[in-house]
mmCIF file of all heavy atoms in Angstrom:
data_model
loop_
_atom_site.group_PDB
_atom_site.id
_atom_site.type_symbol
_atom_site.label_atom_id
_atom_site.label_comp_id
_atom_site.label_asym_id
_atom_site.label_seq_id
_atom_site.Cartn_x
_atom_site.Cartn_y
_atom_site.Cartn_z
ATOM 1 N N GLY U 260 -68.539 -36.076 -9.581
ATOM 2 C CA GLY U 260 -68.043 -35.915 -10.962
ATOM 3 C C GLY U 260 -67.323 -37.121 -11.463
ATOM 4 O O GLY U 260 -67.392 -37.465 -12.660
ATOM 5 N N PHE U 261 -66.588 -37.840 -10.621
ATOM 6 C CA PHE U 261 -65.773 -38.964 -11.059
ATOM 7 C C PHE U 261 -66.698 -40.077 -11.544
ATOM 8 O O PHE U 261 -66.370 -40.857 -12.470
ATOM 9 C CB PHE U 261 -64.788 -39.406 -10.018
ATOM 10 C CG PHE U 261 -65.380 -40.134 -8.815
ATOM 11 C CD1 PHE U 261 -65.584 -41.544 -8.857
ATOM 12 C CD2 PHE U 261 -65.688 -39.422 -7.693
ATOM 13 C CE1 PHE U 261 -66.129 -42.155 -7.770
ATOM 14 C CE2 PHE U 261 -66.259 -40.053 -6.572
ATOM 15 C CZ PHE U 261 -66.503 -41.444 -6.593
ATOM 16 N N LEU U 262 -67.850 -40.239 -10.953
ATOM 17 C CA LEU U 262 -68.822 -41.243 -11.402
ATOM 18 C C LEU U 262 -69.416 -40.829 -12.765
ATOM 19 O O LEU U 262 -69.615 -41.679 -13.612
ATOM 20 C CB LEU U 262 -69.912 -41.455 -10.355
ATOM 21 C CG LEU U 262 -69.565 -42.289 -9.159
ATOM 22 C CD1 LEU U 262 -70.770 -42.420 -8.228
ATOM 23 C CD2 LEU U 262 -69.106 -43.659 -9.545
ATOM 24 N N GLN U 263 -69.713 -39.566 -12.904
ATOM 25 C CA GLN U 263 -70.228 -39.061 -14.152
ATOM 26 C C GLN U 263 -69.219 -39.256 -15.237
ATOM 27 O O GLN U 263 -69.543 -39.719 -16.357
ATOM 28 C CB GLN U 263 -70.580 -37.600 -14.031
ATOM 29 C CG GLN U 263 -71.640 -37.269 -12.980
ATOM 30 C CD GLN U 263 -71.739 -35.791 -12.730
ATOM 31 O OE1 GLN U 263 -72.016 -35.006 -13.654
ATOM 32 N NE2 GLN U 263 -71.518 -35.390 -11.458
ATOM 33 N N HIS U 264 -67.973 -38.999 -14.973
ATOM 34 C CA HIS U 264 -66.909 -39.144 -15.926
ATOM 35 C C HIS U 264 -66.811 -40.621 -16.373
ATOM 36 O O HIS U 264 -66.602 -40.922 -17.564
ATOM 37 C CB HIS U 264 -65.591 -38.687 -15.355
ATOM 38 C CG HIS U 264 -64.422 -38.780 -16.335
ATOM 39 N ND1 HIS U 264 -63.526 -39.779 -16.261
ATOM 40 C CD2 HIS U 264 -64.101 -38.001 -17.384
ATOM 41 C CE1 HIS U 264 -62.606 -39.638 -17.243
ATOM 42 N NE2 HIS U 264 -62.957 -38.535 -17.930
ATOM 43 N N ALA U 265 -66.891 -41.533 -15.401
ATOM 44 C CA ALA U 265 -66.860 -42.955 -15.722
ATOM 45 C C ALA U 265 -67.997 -43.297 -16.695
ATOM 46 O O ALA U 265 -67.839 -44.136 -17.584
ATOM 47 C CB ALA U 265 -66.896 -43.809 -14.459
ATOM 48 N N GLY U 266 -69.132 -42.729 -16.470
ATOM 49 C CA GLY U 266 -70.300 -42.974 -17.356
ATOM 50 C C GLY U 266 -70.037 -42.406 -18.718
ATOM 51 O O GLY U 266 -70.411 -43.073 -19.755
ATOM 52 N N PHE U 267 -69.461 -41.227 -18.834
ATOM 53 C CA PHE U 267 -69.117 -40.638 -20.147
ATOM 54 C C PHE U 267 -68.214 -41.576 -20.903
ATOM 55 O O PHE U 267 -68.398 -41.877 -22.096
ATOM 56 C CB PHE U 267 -68.434 -39.268 -20.022
ATOM 57 C CG PHE U 267 -69.265 -38.246 -19.307
ATOM 58 C CD1 PHE U 267 -68.668 -37.189 -18.565
ATOM 59 C CD2 PHE U 267 -70.652 -38.220 -19.369
ATOM 60 C CE1 PHE U 267 -69.424 -36.219 -17.918
ATOM 61 C CE2 PHE U 267 -71.395 -37.285 -18.709
ATOM 62 C CZ PHE U 267 -70.789 -36.291 -18.001
ATOM 63 N N MET U 268 -67.173 -42.037 -20.266
ATOM 64 C CA MET U 268 -66.178 -42.904 -20.908
ATOM 65 C C MET U 268 -66.789 -44.212 -21.306
ATOM 66 O O MET U 268 -66.444 -44.773 -22.343
ATOM 67 C CB MET U 268 -65.011 -43.094 -19.974
ATOM 68 C CG MET U 268 -64.248 -41.888 -19.509
ATOM 69 S SD MET U 268 -63.398 -41.010 -20.855
ATOM 70 C CE MET U 268 -61.987 -42.110 -21.057
ATOM 71 N N ALA U 269 -67.682 -44.733 -20.495
ATOM 72 C CA ALA U 269 -68.285 -46.032 -20.789
ATOM 73 C C ALA U 269 -69.189 -45.969 -22.032
ATOM 74 O O ALA U 269 -69.483 -47.026 -22.626
ATOM 75 C CB ALA U 269 -69.104 -46.545 -19.577
ATOM 76 N N MET U 270 -69.677 -44.825 -22.368
ATOM 77 C CA MET U 270 -70.536 -44.715 -23.543
ATOM 78 C C MET U 270 -69.791 -45.013 -24.836
ATOM 79 O O MET U 270 -70.386 -45.527 -25.792
ATOM 80 C CB MET U 270 -71.187 -43.295 -23.595
ATOM 81 C CG MET U 270 -72.178 -43.030 -22.497
ATOM 82 S SD MET U 270 -72.898 -41.380 -22.601
ATOM 83 C CE MET U 270 -73.839 -41.471 -24.086
ATOM 84 N N ASN U 271 -68.502 -44.629 -24.886
ATOM 85 C CA ASN U 271 -67.708 -44.834 -26.167
ATOM 86 C C ASN U 271 -66.289 -45.319 -25.728
ATOM 87 O O ASN U 271 -65.342 -44.601 -26.042
ATOM 88 C CB ASN U 271 -67.662 -43.604 -26.960
ATOM 89 C CG ASN U 271 -69.000 -43.225 -27.610
ATOM 90 O OD1 ASN U 271 -69.467 -43.929 -28.525
ATOM 91 N ND2 ASN U 271 -69.610 -42.187 -27.078
ATOM 92 N N PRO U 272 -66.132 -46.475 -25.104
ATOM 93 C CA PRO U 272 -64.788 -46.850 -24.616
ATOM 94 C C PRO U 272 -63.820 -47.063 -25.747
ATOM 95 O O PRO U 272 -62.646 -46.650 -25.599
ATOM 96 C CB PRO U 272 -65.057 -48.102 -23.819
ATOM 97 C CG PRO U 272 -66.346 -48.652 -24.372
ATOM 98 C CD PRO U 272 -67.141 -47.448 -24.743
ATOM 99 N N GLU U 273 -64.276 -47.643 -26.840
ATOM 100 C CA GLU U 273 -63.326 -47.899 -27.920
ATOM 101 C C GLU U 273 -62.754 -46.592 -28.521
ATOM 102 O O GLU U 273 -61.578 -46.479 -28.812
ATOM 103 C CB GLU U 273 -64.011 -48.691 -29.064
ATOM 104 C CG GLU U 273 -64.461 -50.071 -28.647
ATOM 105 C CD GLU U 273 -65.863 -50.030 -28.006
ATOM 106 O OE1 GLU U 273 -66.458 -48.903 -27.902
ATOM 107 O OE2 GLU U 273 -66.344 -51.099 -27.651
ATOM 108 N N ARG U 274 -63.635 -45.590 -28.655
ATOM 109 C CA ARG U 274 -63.213 -44.333 -29.201
ATOM 110 C C ARG U 274 -62.205 -43.628 -28.323
ATOM 111 O O ARG U 274 -61.189 -43.069 -28.794
ATOM 112 C CB ARG U 274 -64.371 -43.358 -29.410
ATOM 113 C CG ARG U 274 -64.053 -42.073 -30.032
ATOM 114 C CD ARG U 274 -65.280 -41.274 -30.449
ATOM 115 N NE ARG U 274 -66.102 -40.883 -29.306
ATOM 116 C CZ ARG U 274 -65.897 -39.796 -28.604
ATOM 117 N NH1 ARG U 274 -64.929 -38.976 -28.878
ATOM 118 N NH2 ARG U 274 -66.707 -39.503 -27.606
ATOM 119 N N HIS U 275 -62.391 -43.725 -26.994
ATOM 120 C CA HIS U 275 -61.413 -43.048 -26.106
ATOM 121 C C HIS U 275 -60.105 -43.830 -26.071
ATOM 122 O O HIS U 275 -59.033 -43.227 -25.962
ATOM 123 C CB HIS U 275 -62.028 -42.965 -24.686
ATOM 124 C CG HIS U 275 -63.180 -42.006 -24.562
ATOM 125 N ND1 HIS U 275 -63.017 -40.652 -24.752
ATOM 126 C CD2 HIS U 275 -64.495 -42.241 -24.350
ATOM 127 C CE1 HIS U 275 -64.215 -40.055 -24.606
ATOM 128 N NE2 HIS U 275 -65.135 -41.002 -24.387
ATOM 129 N N PHE U 276 -60.227 -45.175 -26.112
ATOM 130 C CA PHE U 276 -58.955 -45.961 -26.173
ATOM 131 C C PHE U 276 -58.131 -45.625 -27.387
ATOM 132 O O PHE U 276 -56.920 -45.374 -27.317
ATOM 133 C CB PHE U 276 -59.293 -47.469 -26.184
ATOM 134 C CG PHE U 276 -58.083 -48.339 -26.324
ATOM 135 C CD1 PHE U 276 -57.305 -48.677 -25.215
ATOM 136 C CD2 PHE U 276 -57.711 -48.841 -27.569
ATOM 137 C CE1 PHE U 276 -56.132 -49.459 -25.348
ATOM 138 C CE2 PHE U 276 -56.582 -49.636 -27.711
ATOM 139 C CZ PHE U 276 -55.795 -49.946 -26.588
ATOM 140 N N MET U 277 -58.762 -45.554 -28.512
ATOM 141 C CA MET U 277 -58.065 -45.228 -29.802
ATOM 142 C C MET U 277 -57.542 -43.847 -29.783
ATOM 143 O O MET U 277 -56.450 -43.534 -30.313
ATOM 144 C CB MET U 277 -58.966 -45.449 -30.994
ATOM 145 C CG MET U 277 -59.299 -46.924 -31.295
ATOM 146 S SD MET U 277 -57.792 -47.941 -31.423
ATOM 147 C CE MET U 277 -56.898 -47.145 -32.773
ATOM 148 N N SER U 278 -58.249 -42.897 -29.163
ATOM 149 C CA SER U 278 -57.806 -41.552 -29.047
ATOM 150 C C SER U 278 -56.474 -41.445 -28.247
ATOM 151 O O SER U 278 -55.544 -40.752 -28.659
ATOM 152 C CB SER U 278 -58.862 -40.651 -28.425
ATOM 153 O OG SER U 278 -58.430 -39.311 -28.316
ATOM 154 N N HIS U 279 -56.413 -42.188 -27.131
ATOM 155 C CA HIS U 279 -55.215 -42.204 -26.325
ATOM 156 C C HIS U 279 -54.060 -42.929 -27.068
ATOM 157 O O HIS U 279 -52.907 -42.501 -26.942
ATOM 158 C CB HIS U 279 -55.486 -42.840 -24.950
ATOM 159 C CG HIS U 279 -56.278 -42.020 -24.044
ATOM 160 N ND1 HIS U 279 -57.603 -41.818 -24.100
ATOM 161 C CD2 HIS U 279 -55.860 -41.194 -22.994
ATOM 162 C CE1 HIS U 279 -58.037 -40.977 -23.169
ATOM 163 N NE2 HIS U 279 -56.979 -40.579 -22.480
ATOM 164 N N TRP U 280 -54.411 -43.944 -27.788
ATOM 165 C CA TRP U 280 -53.356 -44.658 -28.515
ATOM 166 C C TRP U 280 -52.791 -43.782 -29.644
ATOM 167 O O TRP U 280 -51.568 -43.707 -29.838
ATOM 168 C CB TRP U 280 -53.919 -45.940 -29.075
ATOM 169 C CG TRP U 280 -53.004 -46.696 -30.002
ATOM 170 C CD1 TRP U 280 -53.137 -46.966 -31.339
ATOM 171 C CD2 TRP U 280 -51.717 -47.271 -29.647
ATOM 172 N NE1 TRP U 280 -52.097 -47.659 -31.865
ATOM 173 C CE2 TRP U 280 -51.200 -47.875 -30.848
ATOM 174 C CE3 TRP U 280 -51.004 -47.387 -28.466
ATOM 175 C CZ2 TRP U 280 -49.977 -48.533 -30.860
ATOM 176 C CZ3 TRP U 280 -49.772 -48.036 -28.488
ATOM 177 C CH2 TRP U 280 -49.261 -48.576 -29.682
ATOM 178 N N ASP U 281 -53.668 -43.030 -30.310
ATOM 179 C CA ASP U 281 -53.208 -42.098 -31.330
ATOM 180 C C ASP U 281 -52.387 -41.012 -30.717
ATOM 181 O O ASP U 281 -51.389 -40.521 -31.316
ATOM 182 C CB ASP U 281 -54.417 -41.534 -32.065
ATOM 183 C CG ASP U 281 -55.137 -42.534 -32.974
ATOM 184 O OD1 ASP U 281 -54.460 -43.502 -33.266
ATOM 185 O OD2 ASP U 281 -56.292 -42.295 -33.302
ATOM 186 N N PHE U 282 -52.742 -40.563 -29.504
ATOM 187 C CA PHE U 282 -51.966 -39.543 -28.811
ATOM 188 C C PHE U 282 -50.550 -40.032 -28.564
ATOM 189 O O PHE U 282 -49.558 -39.323 -28.813
ATOM 190 C CB PHE U 282 -52.649 -39.176 -27.510
ATOM 191 C CG PHE U 282 -51.885 -38.254 -26.591
ATOM 192 C CD1 PHE U 282 -51.618 -36.956 -27.012
ATOM 193 C CD2 PHE U 282 -51.403 -38.664 -25.372
ATOM 194 C CE1 PHE U 282 -50.916 -36.085 -26.191
ATOM 195 C CE2 PHE U 282 -50.718 -37.831 -24.532
ATOM 196 C CZ PHE U 282 -50.489 -36.506 -24.936
ATOM 197 N N TYR U 283 -50.434 -41.287 -28.101
ATOM 198 C CA TYR U 283 -49.125 -41.852 -27.841
ATOM 199 C C TYR U 283 -48.297 -41.903 -29.174
ATOM 200 O O TYR U 283 -47.090 -41.501 -29.195
ATOM 201 C CB TYR U 283 -49.241 -43.252 -27.274
ATOM 202 C CG TYR U 283 -47.980 -44.049 -27.225
ATOM 203 C CD1 TYR U 283 -47.050 -43.867 -26.188
ATOM 204 C CD2 TYR U 283 -47.697 -45.008 -28.205
ATOM 205 C CE1 TYR U 283 -45.845 -44.606 -26.168
ATOM 206 C CE2 TYR U 283 -46.514 -45.766 -28.185
ATOM 207 C CZ TYR U 283 -45.620 -45.523 -27.172
ATOM 208 O OH TYR U 283 -44.417 -46.263 -27.153
ATOM 209 N N ARG U 284 -48.890 -42.348 -30.237
ATOM 210 C CA ARG U 284 -48.177 -42.455 -31.514
ATOM 211 C C ARG U 284 -47.809 -41.131 -32.042
ATOM 212 O O ARG U 284 -46.710 -40.955 -32.641
ATOM 213 C CB ARG U 284 -49.068 -43.201 -32.518
ATOM 214 C CG ARG U 284 -49.291 -44.709 -32.161
ATOM 215 C CD ARG U 284 -49.802 -45.466 -33.337
ATOM 216 N NE ARG U 284 -51.090 -44.944 -33.802
ATOM 217 C CZ ARG U 284 -51.650 -45.391 -34.931
ATOM 218 N NH1 ARG U 284 -51.106 -46.367 -35.681
ATOM 219 N NH2 ARG U 284 -52.803 -44.861 -35.316
ATOM 220 N N ASN U 285 -48.654 -40.103 -31.863
ATOM 221 C CA ASN U 285 -48.332 -38.761 -32.350
ATOM 222 C C ASN U 285 -47.127 -38.204 -31.566
ATOM 223 O O ASN U 285 -46.284 -37.547 -32.163
ATOM 224 C CB ASN U 285 -49.529 -37.820 -32.174
ATOM 225 C CG ASN U 285 -50.605 -38.149 -33.174
ATOM 226 O OD1 ASN U 285 -50.383 -38.671 -34.283
ATOM 227 N ND2 ASN U 285 -51.891 -37.859 -32.801
ATOM 228 N N LEU U 286 -47.067 -38.482 -30.293
ATOM 229 C CA LEU U 286 -45.873 -38.021 -29.492
ATOM 230 C C LEU U 286 -44.628 -38.724 -30.008
ATOM 231 O O LEU U 286 -43.548 -38.056 -30.094
ATOM 232 C CB LEU U 286 -46.109 -38.334 -28.060
ATOM 233 C CG LEU U 286 -47.168 -37.456 -27.276
ATOM 234 C CD1 LEU U 286 -47.370 -37.985 -25.869
ATOM 235 C CD2 LEU U 286 -46.788 -36.000 -27.269
ATOM 236 N N VAL U 287 -44.715 -39.983 -30.232
ATOM 237 C CA VAL U 287 -43.525 -40.719 -30.731
ATOM 238 C C VAL U 287 -43.041 -40.183 -32.049
ATOM 239 O O VAL U 287 -41.841 -39.973 -32.343
ATOM 240 C CB VAL U 287 -43.817 -42.240 -30.778
ATOM 241 C CG1 VAL U 287 -42.621 -42.999 -31.488
ATOM 242 C CG2 VAL U 287 -44.030 -42.796 -29.414
ATOM 243 N N LYS U 288 -44.034 -39.891 -32.969
ATOM 244 C CA LYS U 288 -43.697 -39.388 -34.299
ATOM 245 C C LYS U 288 -43.300 -37.930 -34.289
ATOM 246 O O LYS U 288 -42.784 -37.433 -35.304
ATOM 247 C CB LYS U 288 -44.919 -39.586 -35.237
ATOM 248 C CG LYS U 288 -45.264 -40.990 -35.558
ATOM 249 C CD LYS U 288 -46.403 -41.074 -36.584
ATOM 250 C CE LYS U 288 -47.589 -40.466 -36.097
ATOM 251 N NZ LYS U 288 -48.746 -40.598 -37.073
ATOM 252 N N GLY U 289 -43.603 -37.222 -33.212
ATOM 253 C CA GLY U 289 -43.300 -35.816 -33.164
ATOM 254 C C GLY U 289 -44.400 -34.971 -33.789
ATOM 255 O O GLY U 289 -44.138 -33.801 -34.153
ATOM 256 N N ASP U 290 -45.592 -35.478 -33.945
ATOM 257 C CA ASP U 290 -46.709 -34.758 -34.488
ATOM 258 C C ASP U 290 -47.348 -33.930 -33.364
ATOM 259 O O ASP U 290 -48.333 -34.319 -32.750
ATOM 260 C CB ASP U 290 -47.736 -35.744 -35.112
ATOM 261 C CG ASP U 290 -48.835 -35.006 -35.902
ATOM 262 O OD1 ASP U 290 -48.948 -33.767 -35.736
ATOM 263 O OD2 ASP U 290 -49.570 -35.661 -36.668
ATOM 264 N N LEU U 291 -46.750 -32.782 -33.068
ATOM 265 C CA LEU U 291 -47.101 -32.035 -31.896
ATOM 266 C C LEU U 291 -48.414 -31.329 -31.986
ATOM 267 O O LEU U 291 -49.119 -31.071 -30.987
ATOM 268 C CB LEU U 291 -46.019 -31.062 -31.556
ATOM 269 C CG LEU U 291 -44.600 -31.673 -31.340
ATOM 270 C CD1 LEU U 291 -43.620 -30.570 -30.950
ATOM 271 C CD2 LEU U 291 -44.701 -32.726 -30.235
ATOM 272 N N ASP U 292 -48.862 -30.982 -33.250
ATOM 273 C CA ASP U 292 -50.127 -30.306 -33.407
ATOM 274 C C ASP U 292 -51.314 -31.223 -33.029
ATOM 275 O O ASP U 292 -52.209 -30.800 -32.291
ATOM 276 C CB ASP U 292 -50.322 -29.839 -34.861
ATOM 277 C CG ASP U 292 -49.390 -28.649 -35.187
ATOM 278 O OD1 ASP U 292 -48.923 -28.000 -34.241
ATOM 279 O OD2 ASP U 292 -49.111 -28.410 -36.360
ATOM 280 N N ASP U 293 -51.265 -32.443 -33.529
ATOM 281 C CA ASP U 293 -52.345 -33.382 -33.156
ATOM 282 C C ASP U 293 -52.310 -33.740 -31.667
ATOM 283 O O ASP U 293 -53.392 -33.900 -31.059
ATOM 284 C CB ASP U 293 -52.247 -34.657 -34.030
ATOM 285 C CG ASP U 293 -52.739 -34.479 -35.442
ATOM 286 O OD1 ASP U 293 -53.369 -33.439 -35.714
ATOM 287 O OD2 ASP U 293 -52.538 -35.359 -36.294
#
């Protein structure tokens, strides 16, 4: 599964990076729903 997951992530690395960055910013801002 971990190899499959690496493949999933590699298909759209920019989207996953931005999703995690947005998650960090939402936590800092207190946007708990997002």
Side-chain angles (χ1 to χ4, degrees):
F261 71 88
L262 283 181
Q263 300 169 58
H264 182 259
F267 299 152
M268 300 293 284
M270 290 179 67
N271 292 287
E273 297 87 357
R274 182 169 65 86
H275 291 294
F276 175 83
M277 290 307 302
S278 179
H279 285 79
W280 174 244
D281 290 340
F282 174 64
Y283 169 81
R284 293 195 301 174
N285 288 332
L286 289 174
V287 173
K288 291 186 300 183
D290 190 344
L291 301 184
D292 288 340
D293 283 350

